[in-house]
Amino acid sequence: MFEINYKKISELSELIKNINFQLNMLPGIEKAIDISDAKNKLTLYFYVDAICHQTQNFSGEIDGIYYKGWDYLLNSFIKEYKKDNDFISVDKMKKIKGEDLKRILNGSGDRYYERAKLLRNCAYILKRDFNSDIFEINRISEGYIKRENGLDMLKLFHKFKAYSDPLNKKTYLFLNIAKKVGFWKINDPENLWTPVDYHLERVTLRMGLVNLDDKIMTKLIENKSIPQTLDLKIREVVGDAVKKLSIDSKVEVEKIDQIFWSLGRSICFKDSPFCDGVNSENTTFQNITGINLKNGCPFRKICEAYKNIELRQIKESNVNTIYY
Ligand code: SF4
């Protein structure tokens, strides 16, 4: 049905080793100055991450700067937090309603009631099981992402409805964020995997890191809706391919994630990639990698979709989900 394309991964791995990325990871996420600051920051990011799924409809200006998707959610929450520090307390978040969220997000986006319900559930579980302290997850797991005989971060995050994705997209994103913020112990970094979102899925498939059979390929090209079970299988292979690329290239998996994610937002667009260049100075890809895309996508040399124009129409899975 689909399988990892090891030959393509090896080609891309060699290419990545020869590109001079000047990585600025997770722009907008700040390092903490002490544990109390880390707790505040990670609590805020935990709630933003909880509603970070299918964010294509979120965009707008916040204090004169245009943001979209994740950045729009993040900056809207930061703005609210600056107005009211109590906004991220469990007692307040337990009561958040759809209309509150709509106000905070200035009417942009969608599914406020569903997202507010996820936030209330996060606050409820945080209070009930973790003493209202996000760092309790780190303490109980003893810094282990995965372990056989004990509670680990993946299992603990699964208690929150918003973080219940079998492939843990939001949890892995949280861990990448926590690594940057600091004070969050990770004892088994080898168990970091990638948060497989729709940009990463689309870019990985177009490059050809996963071979798809004709039936699935047609569904993705035609943007036909697919069942969640199939979506999970595709995303799992995509995540494994990215992890393998990280191992082969010796570039940490969260860095590959940022490179692919920003490529998807900046040039490898859903409807049509602009492989030969985009006329924009300020792309997310440039902010994260330091590479200007005016002269084209740096992966054209190995990209299957660059060689075969039909494959440029591959899109991420069309599925209604709260996972990513
Ligand atoms: S060459 Fe084109 S299709 Fe391939 S990854 Fe780059 S932008 Fe996407």
Side-chain angles (χ1 to χ4, degrees):
M1 201 191 264
F2 33 75
E3 57 191 16
I4 293 179
N5 182 341
Y6 291 99
K7 187 167 171 286
K8 185 60 63 186
I9 288 175
S10 163
E11 286 170 26
L12 180 55
S13 166
E14 288 310 308
L15 180 62
I16 282 182
K17 283 183 201 162
N18 289 314
I19 297 178
N20 183 20
F21 294 110
Q22 288 162 6
L23 289 174
N24 165 30
M25 298 284 288
L26 292 162
I29 301 293
E30 293 174 9
K31 282 189 200 311
I33 51 171
D34 55 29
I35 183 71
S36 158
D37 187 35
K39 187 171 160 179
N40 283 335
K41 285 192 160 76
L42 283 178
T43 305
L44 180 95
Y45 300 149
F46 163 72
Y47 287 125
V48 180
D49 190 10
I51 57 164
C52 185
H53 51 269
Q54 303 198 317
T55 59
Q56 298 92 332
N57 295 329
F58 289 92
S59 64
E61 279 198 11
I62 301 170
D63 297 332
I65 301 174
Y66 177 80
Y67 298 100
K68 61 181 180 179
W70 157 260
D71 296 311
Y72 186 80
L73 294 181
L74 177 64
N75 284 286
S76 300
F77 271 48
I78 290 172
K79 187 170 182 179
E80 183 68 13
Y81 176 71
K82 282 182 182 161
K83 271 196 286 183
D84 172 16
N85 281 191
D86 206 32
F87 162 57
I88 58 168
S89 70
V90 286
D91 290 331
K92 201 142 186 191
M93 199 60 86
K94 259 170 60 180
K95 294 185 193 138
I96 193 165
K97 295 195 176 68
E99 49 264 39
D100 301 323
L101 199 53
K102 189 172 181 180
R103 175 190 59 75
I104 292 164
L105 297 168
N106 204 20
S108 181
D110 50 23
R111 294 160 67 179
Y112 305 111
Y113 296 90
E114 174 194 70
R115 293 180 205 272
K117 196 171 172 191
L118 293 172
L119 289 173
R120 291 197 299 273
N121 172 268
C122 279
Y124 173 76
I125 304 288
L126 198 57
K127 185 168 187 175
R128 189 192 69 183
D129 295 352
F130 302 109
N131 199 23
S132 304
D133 180 359
I134 195 75
F135 269 86
E136 268 298 282
I137 297 175
N138 205 228
R139 192 189 65 75
I140 297 169
S141 65
E142 298 177 290
Y144 285 95
I145 298 169
K146 263 190 209 175
R147 55 179 172 174
E148 287 300 318
N149 303 311
L151 288 172
D152 57 39
M153 292 185 225
L154 297 185
K155 290 189 198 106
L156 293 171
F157 270 98
H158 265 238
K159 288 172 172 252
F160 305 100
K161 172 85 176 138
Y163 286 83
S164 60
D165 173 9
L167 298 178
N168 308 296
K169 179 258 175 179
K170 292 177 182 175
T171 305
Y172 285 116
L173 176 58
F174 180 87
L175 295 178
N176 289 348
I177 290 170
K179 266 185 90 172
K180 179 160 181 190
V181 169
F183 299 93
W184 185 276
K185 190 167 66 175
I186 296 181
N187 281 329
D188 54 344
E190 69 282 4
N191 281 327
L192 273 175
W193 202 65
T194 190
V196 184
D197 80 336
Y198 47 87
H199 292 308
L200 186 105
E201 179 186 356
R202 186 173 68 249
V203 167
T204 304
L205 295 176
R206 283 180 182 168
M207 282 198 199
L209 304 190
V210 172
N211 293 324
L212 298 168
D213 70 27
D214 288 349
K215 206 168 144 202
I216 293 177
M217 177 95 75
T218 304
K219 276 183 190 289
L220 295 178
I221 286 176
E222 293 178 356
N223 202 23
K224 291 254 165 67
S225 128
I226 63 166
Q228 192 150 65
T229 44
L230 177 58
D231 168 54
L232 285 170
K233 284 183 191 160
I234 296 172
R235 285 202 299 133
E236 186 170 17
V237 184
V238 165
D240 285 342
V242 170
K243 180 78 182 181
K244 175 75 177 127
L245 177 63
S246 157
I247 293 166
D248 284 8
S249 63
K250 300 192 174 41
V251 176
E252 287 127 303
V253 70
E254 67 268 28
K255 292 183 177 165
I256 303 273
D257 169 65
Q258 285 275 284
I259 293 167
F260 279 22
W261 175 78
S262 60
L263 194 79
R265 287 185 117 207
S266 306
I267 186 168
C268 199
F269 301 119
K270 178 177 178 177
D271 290 333
S272 181
F274 284 44
C275 309
D276 290 317
V278 287
N279 197 14
S280 170
E281 279 298 335
N282 227 350
T283 63
T284 309
F285 188 77
Q286 182 162 356
N287 290 341
I288 288 180
T289 66
I291 295 172
N292 191 306
L293 289 170
K294 275 190 175 165
N295 295 324
C297 172
F299 304 110
R300 282 174 296 178
K301 207 165 122 189
I302 63 90
C303 178
E304 283 300 314
Y306 190 65
K307 290 182 212 154
N308 177 350
I309 202 162
E310 195 197 354
L311 303 183
R312 294 189 203 172
Q313 294 312 310
I314 292 177
K315 294 163 187 67
E316 63 269 23
S317 314
N318 178 357
V319 63
N320 188 29
T321 181
I322 61 156
Y323 293 157
Y324 66 104

